Amino acid sequence: MNIGLIVAAGRGHRFGGPLPKQYRELGGVPILRHTILRLMRHPGIAAIQVLIHPDDQGLYDAATAGLGLRPALHGGAARQDSVRLGLEGIADLQPKNVLIHDGVRPFVAMETISAVLAALERVPAAIAGVPLADTLKRVADGVITETVDRRNLWRAQTPQGFDYAAILAAHRRAVTENAGIELTDDAMVAEQAGLAVEMVAGSEENFKITTETDLQRAAFLLGLERS
């Protein structure tokens, strides 16, 4: 059984405004609902579990009305904590694999989800991403100090898929062995645990909405999808 774990417990401080970004409207619908529906529509995902901030229960209930989801789980102080709590919270489903996805990536393609799931048939961990196209510069105090070779460099996206037992063990291990180290995504948690992580092709449309400019881009893309 493949379970989708959607992380939506953040506060979105970079976005500004009274609402956390996952509850801002996109085409009259909360961003989070768009994201949930994407994963729900994929035939390879049997159930969805969402992680939210404890203060957002009312917003979440309104955003997900009628979807028939499992009760939301509350996240922790950091993303890593939230994911671990989510993994613990779906143990009753006895998942084989789990796909961890950002609540503010509403344009993930069905093909991307399928590619991650296909990779999990041969490896314990696989994530979506896109290769870097821009020239990279290292800068100190506003001055370029180095041009960085971009060959073999990718931008990580979600979903990030894992053998459930393996990633749960990795997150539990990280609590003690990597205390004080910021592990910025679940692939990094897996890497620290010695798991090989395969990269599969994502898409430029699978971007994370973190600013007002991103929201404007999302509105434009949604308009193209609906036209």
Side-chain angles (χ1 to χ4, degrees), residues 16-34:
L19 289 178
K21 59 190 176 183
Q22 57 269 38
Y23 300 105
R24 289 285 298 271
E25 288 195 351
L26 173 61
V29 175
I31 294 170
L32 179 58
R33 189 180 181 96
H34 282 288

mmCIF file of all heavy atoms in Angstrom, residues 16-34:
data_model
loop_
_atom_site.group_PDB
_atom_site.id
_atom_site.type_symbol
_atom_site.label_atom_id
_atom_site.label_comp_id
_atom_site.label_asym_id
_atom_site.label_seq_id
_atom_site.Cartn_x
_atom_site.Cartn_y
_atom_site.Cartn_z
ATOM 1 N N GLY A 16 3.789 36.267 4.230
ATOM 2 C CA GLY A 16 3.092 37.418 4.793
ATOM 3 C C GLY A 16 1.585 37.235 4.733
ATOM 4 O O GLY A 16 1.072 36.282 4.162
ATOM 5 N N GLY A 17 0.872 38.177 5.352
ATOM 6 C CA GLY A 17 -0.586 38.111 5.352
ATOM 7 C C GLY A 17 -1.112 37.333 6.536
ATOM 8 O O GLY A 17 -0.366 36.671 7.254
ATOM 9 N N PRO A 18 -2.433 37.375 6.751
ATOM 10 C CA PRO A 18 -3.035 36.759 7.937
ATOM 11 C C PRO A 18 -3.146 35.235 7.866
ATOM 12 O O PRO A 18 -3.283 34.582 8.886
ATOM 13 C CB PRO A 18 -4.418 37.401 7.996
ATOM 14 C CG PRO A 18 -4.735 37.732 6.565
ATOM 15 C CD PRO A 18 -3.423 38.114 5.947
ATOM 16 N N LEU A 19 -3.114 34.676 6.658
ATOM 17 C CA LEU A 19 -3.301 33.236 6.499
ATOM 18 C C LEU A 19 -1.983 32.541 6.179
ATOM 19 O O LEU A 19 -1.177 33.058 5.391
ATOM 20 C CB LEU A 19 -4.278 32.935 5.361
ATOM 21 C CG LEU A 19 -5.755 33.251 5.565
ATOM 22 C CD1 LEU A 19 -6.508 32.919 4.288
ATOM 23 C CD2 LEU A 19 -6.317 32.468 6.726
ATOM 24 N N PRO A 20 -1.746 31.350 6.747
ATOM 25 C CA PRO A 20 -0.624 30.536 6.274
ATOM 26 C C PRO A 20 -0.803 30.272 4.781
ATOM 27 O O PRO A 20 -1.935 30.109 4.294
ATOM 28 C CB PRO A 20 -0.746 29.248 7.095
ATOM 29 C CG PRO A 20 -1.503 29.657 8.324
ATOM 30 C CD PRO A 20 -2.466 30.704 7.857
ATOM 31 N N LYS A 21 0.295 30.205 4.062
ATOM 32 C CA LYS A 21 0.229 30.169 2.594
ATOM 33 C C LYS A 21 -0.578 28.991 2.052
ATOM 34 O O LYS A 21 -1.242 29.107 1.014
ATOM 35 C CB LYS A 21 1.637 30.147 2.004
ATOM 36 C CG LYS A 21 2.476 28.960 2.443
ATOM 37 C CD LYS A 21 3.925 29.115 2.021
ATOM 38 C CE LYS A 21 4.768 27.969 2.560
ATOM 39 N NZ LYS A 21 6.199 28.134 2.221
ATOM 40 N N GLN A 22 -0.577 27.859 2.748
ATOM 41 C CA GLN A 22 -1.293 26.688 2.242
ATOM 42 C C GLN A 22 -2.806 26.878 2.215
ATOM 43 O O GLN A 22 -3.516 26.136 1.545
ATOM 44 C CB GLN A 22 -0.923 25.431 3.041
ATOM 45 C CG GLN A 22 -1.168 25.503 4.527
ATOM 46 C CD GLN A 22 0.039 26.000 5.300
ATOM 47 O OE1 GLN A 22 0.752 26.886 4.847
ATOM 48 N NE2 GLN A 22 0.271 25.416 6.464
ATOM 49 N N TYR A 23 -3.273 27.897 2.933
ATOM 50 C CA TYR A 23 -4.718 28.170 2.968
ATOM 51 C C TYR A 23 -5.105 29.382 2.117
ATOM 52 O O TYR A 23 -6.296 29.715 2.046
ATOM 53 C CB TYR A 23 -5.185 28.349 4.402
ATOM 54 C CG TYR A 23 -4.920 27.114 5.237
ATOM 55 C CD1 TYR A 23 -3.892 27.082 6.161
ATOM 56 C CD2 TYR A 23 -5.679 25.958 5.064
ATOM 57 C CE1 TYR A 23 -3.624 25.938 6.908
ATOM 58 C CE2 TYR A 23 -5.424 24.807 5.800
ATOM 59 C CZ TYR A 23 -4.394 24.812 6.720
ATOM 60 O OH TYR A 23 -4.130 23.671 7.443
ATOM 61 N N ARG A 24 -4.124 30.015 1.490
ATOM 62 C CA ARG A 24 -4.450 31.085 0.547
ATOM 63 C C ARG A 24 -5.179 30.487 -0.646
ATOM 64 O O ARG A 24 -4.952 29.341 -1.026
ATOM 65 C CB ARG A 24 -3.171 31.790 0.089
ATOM 66 C CG ARG A 24 -2.515 32.640 1.159
ATOM 67 C CD ARG A 24 -3.256 33.937 1.396
ATOM 68 N NE ARG A 24 -3.283 34.775 0.209
ATOM 69 C CZ ARG A 24 -2.336 35.674 -0.090
ATOM 70 N NH1 ARG A 24 -1.290 35.841 0.719
ATOM 71 N NH2 ARG A 24 -2.426 36.418 -1.161
ATOM 72 N N GLU A 25 -6.039 31.280 -1.257
ATOM 73 C CA GLU A 25 -6.848 30.760 -2.359
ATOM 74 C C GLU A 25 -6.122 30.866 -3.692
ATOM 75 O O GLU A 25 -5.438 31.855 -3.980
ATOM 76 C CB GLU A 25 -8.189 31.484 -2.417
ATOM 77 C CG GLU A 25 -9.114 31.099 -1.280
ATOM 78 C CD GLU A 25 -10.557 31.510 -1.519
ATOM 79 O OE1 GLU A 25 -10.814 32.250 -2.495
ATOM 80 O OE2 GLU A 25 -11.433 31.086 -0.739
ATOM 81 N N LEU A 26 -6.312 29.843 -4.484
ATOM 82 C CA LEU A 26 -5.803 29.780 -5.847
ATOM 83 C C LEU A 26 -6.986 29.387 -6.725
ATOM 84 O O LEU A 26 -7.506 28.275 -6.613
ATOM 85 C CB LEU A 26 -4.682 28.739 -5.941
ATOM 86 C CG LEU A 26 -4.133 28.424 -7.337
ATOM 87 C CD1 LEU A 26 -3.534 29.667 -7.981
ATOM 88 C CD2 LEU A 26 -3.089 27.301 -7.244
ATOM 89 N N GLY A 27 -7.459 30.340 -7.515
ATOM 90 C CA GLY A 27 -8.654 30.073 -8.308
ATOM 91 C C GLY A 27 -9.877 29.835 -7.452
ATOM 92 O O GLY A 27 -10.755 29.042 -7.809
ATOM 93 N N GLY A 28 -9.934 30.499 -6.286
ATOM 94 C CA GLY A 28 -11.079 30.355 -5.402
ATOM 95 C C GLY A 28 -11.046 29.130 -4.507
ATOM 96 O O GLY A 28 -12.009 28.868 -3.773
ATOM 97 N N VAL A 29 -9.951 28.381 -4.539
ATOM 98 C CA VAL A 29 -9.821 27.144 -3.760
ATOM 99 C C VAL A 29 -8.504 27.203 -2.986
ATOM 100 O O VAL A 29 -7.480 27.616 -3.539
ATOM 101 C CB VAL A 29 -9.822 25.905 -4.690
ATOM 102 C CG1 VAL A 29 -9.574 24.625 -3.906
ATOM 103 C CG2 VAL A 29 -11.131 25.826 -5.456
ATOM 104 N N PRO A 30 -8.469 26.802 -1.710
ATOM 105 C CA PRO A 30 -7.214 26.811 -0.962
ATOM 106 C C PRO A 30 -6.128 25.989 -1.659
ATOM 107 O O PRO A 30 -6.402 24.918 -2.214
ATOM 108 C CB PRO A 30 -7.588 26.195 0.391
ATOM 109 C CG PRO A 30 -9.046 26.479 0.533
ATOM 110 C CD PRO A 30 -9.605 26.378 -0.857
ATOM 111 N N ILE A 31 -4.915 26.496 -1.635
ATOM 112 C CA ILE A 31 -3.796 25.804 -2.270
ATOM 113 C C ILE A 31 -3.708 24.364 -1.787
ATOM 114 O O ILE A 31 -3.490 23.435 -2.572
ATOM 115 C CB ILE A 31 -2.476 26.555 -1.979
ATOM 116 C CG1 ILE A 31 -2.477 27.931 -2.653
ATOM 117 C CG2 ILE A 31 -1.271 25.735 -2.436
ATOM 118 C CD1 ILE A 31 -1.332 28.833 -2.220
ATOM 119 N N LEU A 32 -3.866 24.162 -0.489
ATOM 120 C CA LEU A 32 -3.746 22.823 0.073
ATOM 121 C C LEU A 32 -4.755 21.855 -0.546
ATOM 122 O O LEU A 32 -4.427 20.688 -0.809
ATOM 123 C CB LEU A 32 -3.922 22.870 1.593
ATOM 124 C CG LEU A 32 -3.849 21.530 2.329
ATOM 125 C CD1 LEU A 32 -2.521 20.828 2.075
ATOM 126 C CD2 LEU A 32 -4.077 21.731 3.825
ATOM 127 N N ARG A 33 -5.962 22.317 -0.779
ATOM 128 C CA ARG A 33 -6.976 21.436 -1.385
ATOM 129 C C ARG A 33 -6.549 21.008 -2.793
ATOM 130 O O ARG A 33 -6.715 19.845 -3.173
ATOM 131 C CB ARG A 33 -8.335 22.127 -1.424
ATOM 132 C CG ARG A 33 -9.476 21.184 -1.843
ATOM 133 C CD ARG A 33 -10.811 21.909 -1.858
ATOM 134 N NE ARG A 33 -11.900 21.021 -2.231
ATOM 135 C CZ ARG A 33 -12.700 20.385 -1.367
ATOM 136 N NH1 ARG A 33 -12.527 20.552 -0.065
ATOM 137 N NH2 ARG A 33 -13.677 19.599 -1.796
ATOM 138 N N HIS A 34 -6.003 21.962 -3.568
ATOM 139 C CA HIS A 34 -5.487 21.611 -4.894
ATOM 140 C C HIS A 34 -4.461 20.489 -4.777
ATOM 141 O O HIS A 34 -4.482 19.520 -5.548
ATOM 142 C CB HIS A 34 -4.812 22.822 -5.540
ATOM 143 C CG HIS A 34 -5.750 23.839 -6.113
ATOM 144 N ND1 HIS A 34 -6.488 23.631 -7.261
ATOM 145 C CD2 HIS A 34 -6.048 25.098 -5.696
ATOM 146 C CE1 HIS A 34 -7.205 24.714 -7.529
ATOM 147 N NE2 HIS A 34 -6.960 25.616 -6.595
#
